[in-house]
Amino acid sequence: MSALTLELDNSFIRELPGDDDDRNVPRHVRGACWSNVSPTPVAGPELVAHAAEVAALIGLTDEDCLSAEFAAVFAGNDLAPGMVPTAACYGGHQFGHWAGQLGDGRAISLGEVVNATGERWELQLKGAGRTPYSRMGDGRAVLRSSIREFLCSEAMHHLGVPTTRALSLVTTGDEVIRDMLYDGNPRPEPGAIVCRVSPSFLRFGSYEIFAARDEHGLLRSLADYTLRTHFPHLLDGRDGAPGADTYVAWLREVARTTAEMIVHWMRVGFVHGVMNTDNMSILGLTIDYGPYGWLDDFDPGWTPNTTDAEGRRYAYGKQPGIALWNLVRFAQAIVPLIGDPSPLEDALGVYGATFEAGHRRMMNDKLGLAEPRDDDDELVDELMRLLVRAETDMTIFYRRLAEVPTAEGVAGAERIAPLLDAYYAAGPTEEVRAALVAWVDRWAARARSEGRPDAARRAAMNAVNPKFVLRNCLAQLAIDDAENGDPTRVRKLLDIMRRPYDEQPEEEAVYAAKRPDWARNRPGCSMLSCSS
Ligand code: AMP
Ligand code: MG
């Protein structure tokens, strides 16, 4: 037993039925929300990086994180007192089709910490070995995908996007075989384990599996546990007993938080890549960082996931619609709790209303417009058409827009000068340049009409338009170094991404630059698969 001290209170396994079969072999698990499973030990745990602020959430210091026990526990070689390792059962719709039982195939929960302020934080290892839900998989994860999950979880948090967090990244000393592009070229890669941290890892698919199996008792137990533990305000004045209206209120809240999350994704240019219902958090958090990506040039049809290259179901611009599709699956799953689907259909309307209003406000914020006006939609639509006419870096464009002078009588060329850096290749053609001047003139007049000084508007814009995002090529640079044994850049990126809205001029040249040419078609940058 390790000497790490954590205040654990494992409500999920205490309050919900577990699997009474303890064989760690792939199988259908019935009548249970979780299975006991031991992490499979690894050869040589070594800490690559940790997030001190996440450690603080669970009461650990830097010194704790740098200890040998920490690496042993968060590589799955040891357990801290009170930890009970388990894997959860869930299902999901993948790429539009019901996929049956999925479950934690390579994630193992260690327990739930309740911290000094009463927050509940579940700790979960990803890549710690096989579980009853592993199907054909090996239960492991490679270093490249683990770096991507570790860094992106934290980058998203610091960008203000609801997300699961990441405590630690350890290498295992073991090799894992992966065919990275699914093209018949398997090779050994370094193995790694991330410890993810979230109030809960429950997903839409956690409820869908019990609805699909007609295990309605279990569905109700899980729903009621979720309400008690994560939505207690919905039970106010009900003596802890949910009624039909409680489940409807729950759906409304899930619809609202999901819409808010998607608005954030659209704001920062994040593409999840695999929005299957097993990857949709019941808490409206971004979860399961796989073949995600960040828009470099603004292209609503872009997806980093080569597995989805044909249908582009999960492309950037489709995310708002897909989230609703997923919510409908969740709503269908909880119909058995209330019998009548119609109030749930009504509740789903919250999604569209929240998204529309939130998206409009978000775009106004990105454009530095404090007081919404009816014709702002037109200004935004016109910008969307403009941005796709030439390859335009989304992050740089909005950041630079804050530099554009709005005073009357400024010449077009001077007005658009700060924006030219956002263009790829040789810059905008004459035609695009003219369209840009026309749009920027219109925007400047609109901004002027609010009477806010440029400096004040710039500060407001810079608080919502990040300067630093975890571009695919940046994660790849960190991966290349780490695979060569140098973790410095992983830590450096974590550090830069802690302050994504700050200027950090010393980091600009590499970390706030346009995607370099080498990254345009490089696997890992523009092309990712689910192989991880
Ligand atoms: P994902 O596409 O990462 O959301 O994974 C879908 C399902 O596949 C989940 O149930 C995962 O736990 C499982 N899975 C993915 N990779 C592996 C692996 N290497 N070993 C076992 N299960 C896996
Ligand atoms: Mg998943």
mmCIF file of all heavy atoms in Angstrom, residues 90 94 103 126 196 203 274 278-279 287-288, ligand 2:
data_model
loop_
_atom_site.group_PDB
_atom_site.id
_atom_site.type_symbol
_atom_site.label_atom_id
_atom_site.label_comp_id
_atom_site.label_asym_id
_atom_site.label_seq_id
_atom_site.Cartn_x
_atom_site.Cartn_y
_atom_site.Cartn_z
ATOM 1 N N TYR A 90 -21.163 0.682 -19.951
ATOM 2 C CA TYR A 90 -22.004 1.607 -20.723
ATOM 3 C C TYR A 90 -22.090 1.141 -22.158
ATOM 4 O O TYR A 90 -21.381 0.212 -22.570
ATOM 5 C CB TYR A 90 -21.507 3.062 -20.627
ATOM 6 C CG TYR A 90 -20.068 3.314 -21.060
ATOM 7 C CD1 TYR A 90 -19.721 3.393 -22.412
ATOM 8 C CD2 TYR A 90 -19.072 3.499 -20.112
ATOM 9 C CE1 TYR A 90 -18.409 3.664 -22.799
ATOM 10 C CE2 TYR A 90 -17.758 3.756 -20.493
ATOM 11 C CZ TYR A 90 -17.431 3.837 -21.840
ATOM 12 O OH TYR A 90 -16.139 4.087 -22.220
ATOM 13 N N GLN A 94 -22.515 4.675 -32.031
ATOM 14 C CA GLN A 94 -21.272 5.084 -32.674
ATOM 15 C C GLN A 94 -21.545 5.354 -34.143
ATOM 16 O O GLN A 94 -22.107 4.499 -34.833
ATOM 17 C CB GLN A 94 -20.212 3.986 -32.517
ATOM 18 C CG GLN A 94 -19.876 3.707 -31.046
ATOM 19 C CD GLN A 94 -18.680 2.795 -30.871
ATOM 20 O OE1 GLN A 94 -18.568 1.769 -31.546
ATOM 21 N NE2 GLN A 94 -17.790 3.142 -29.962
ATOM 22 N N GLY A 103 -18.372 0.205 -22.607
ATOM 23 C CA GLY A 103 -17.831 0.175 -21.244
ATOM 24 C C GLY A 103 -16.395 0.618 -21.177
ATOM 25 O O GLY A 103 -15.749 0.875 -22.194
ATOM 26 N N LYS A 126 -6.395 5.873 -17.574
ATOM 27 C CA LYS A 126 -6.709 5.459 -18.944
ATOM 28 C C LYS A 126 -5.484 4.758 -19.516
ATOM 29 O O LYS A 126 -4.421 5.365 -19.631
ATOM 30 C CB LYS A 126 -7.080 6.675 -19.793
ATOM 31 C CG LYS A 126 -7.589 6.314 -21.183
ATOM 32 C CD LYS A 126 -8.322 7.479 -21.811
ATOM 33 C CE LYS A 126 -8.649 7.226 -23.276
ATOM 34 N NZ LYS A 126 -9.353 8.372 -23.877
ATOM 35 N N ARG A 196 -7.234 10.721 -15.408
ATOM 36 C CA ARG A 196 -8.236 11.765 -15.649
ATOM 37 C C ARG A 196 -9.014 12.014 -14.362
ATOM 38 O O ARG A 196 -9.173 11.105 -13.539
ATOM 39 C CB ARG A 196 -9.241 11.313 -16.713
ATOM 40 C CG ARG A 196 -8.626 10.719 -17.937
ATOM 41 C CD ARG A 196 -9.628 10.671 -19.042
ATOM 42 N NE ARG A 196 -10.596 9.572 -18.899
ATOM 43 C CZ ARG A 196 -11.401 9.207 -19.891
ATOM 44 N NH1 ARG A 196 -11.369 9.844 -21.050
ATOM 45 N NH2 ARG A 196 -12.253 8.212 -19.734
ATOM 46 N N ARG A 203 -21.847 8.904 -18.907
ATOM 47 C CA ARG A 203 -22.092 9.364 -20.281
ATOM 48 C C ARG A 203 -23.527 9.075 -20.674
ATOM 49 O O ARG A 203 -24.194 8.271 -20.023
ATOM 50 C CB ARG A 203 -21.201 8.573 -21.259
ATOM 51 C CG ARG A 203 -19.764 8.598 -20.923
ATOM 52 C CD ARG A 203 -19.179 7.166 -20.802
ATOM 53 N NE ARG A 203 -17.844 7.246 -20.184
ATOM 54 C CZ ARG A 203 -16.761 7.545 -20.843
ATOM 55 N NH1 ARG A 203 -16.819 7.714 -22.140
ATOM 56 N NH2 ARG A 203 -15.605 7.662 -20.229
ATOM 57 N N VAL A 274 -15.001 12.477 -32.367
ATOM 58 C CA VAL A 274 -15.760 11.223 -32.170
ATOM 59 C C VAL A 274 -16.926 11.463 -31.229
ATOM 60 O O VAL A 274 -16.957 10.946 -30.111
ATOM 61 C CB VAL A 274 -14.923 10.076 -31.561
ATOM 62 C CG1 VAL A 274 -15.483 8.725 -32.009
ATOM 63 C CG2 VAL A 274 -13.463 10.170 -31.902
ATOM 64 N N ASP A 278 -21.351 7.508 -26.386
ATOM 65 C CA ASP A 278 -20.535 7.048 -25.255
ATOM 66 C C ASP A 278 -19.455 8.070 -24.927
ATOM 67 O O ASP A 278 -18.748 7.923 -23.935
ATOM 68 C CB ASP A 278 -19.900 5.684 -25.558
ATOM 69 C CG ASP A 278 -19.150 5.665 -26.877
ATOM 70 O OD1 ASP A 278 -19.756 5.980 -27.904
ATOM 71 O OD2 ASP A 278 -17.945 5.353 -26.880
ATOM 72 N N ASN A 279 -19.326 9.109 -25.745
ATOM 73 C CA ASN A 279 -18.336 10.151 -25.475
ATOM 74 C C ASN A 279 -19.004 11.476 -25.125
ATOM 75 O O ASN A 279 -18.410 12.541 -25.285
ATOM 76 C CB ASN A 279 -17.420 10.336 -26.686
ATOM 77 C CG ASN A 279 -16.530 9.125 -26.920
ATOM 78 O OD1 ASN A 279 -16.288 8.344 -26.003
ATOM 79 N ND2 ASN A 279 -16.057 8.954 -28.137
ATOM 80 N N ILE A 287 -15.281 15.258 -23.023
ATOM 81 C CA ILE A 287 -14.735 14.011 -22.480
ATOM 82 C C ILE A 287 -14.199 13.153 -23.614
ATOM 83 O O ILE A 287 -14.675 13.239 -24.739
ATOM 84 C CB ILE A 287 -15.834 13.241 -21.687
ATOM 85 C CG1 ILE A 287 -15.258 12.037 -20.963
ATOM 86 C CG2 ILE A 287 -16.980 12.832 -22.574
ATOM 87 C CD1 ILE A 287 -16.285 11.330 -20.079
ATOM 88 N N ASP A 288 -13.195 12.336 -23.300
ATOM 89 C CA ASP A 288 -12.617 11.370 -24.239
ATOM 90 C C ASP A 288 -11.904 12.053 -25.407
ATOM 91 O O ASP A 288 -12.423 12.126 -26.525
ATOM 92 C CB ASP A 288 -13.678 10.389 -24.759
ATOM 93 C CG ASP A 288 -13.820 9.201 -23.815
ATOM 94 O OD1 ASP A 288 -13.331 9.295 -22.678
ATOM 95 O OD2 ASP A 288 -14.406 8.183 -24.214
HETATM 96 MG MG MG B 2 -14.822 6.787 -25.403
#
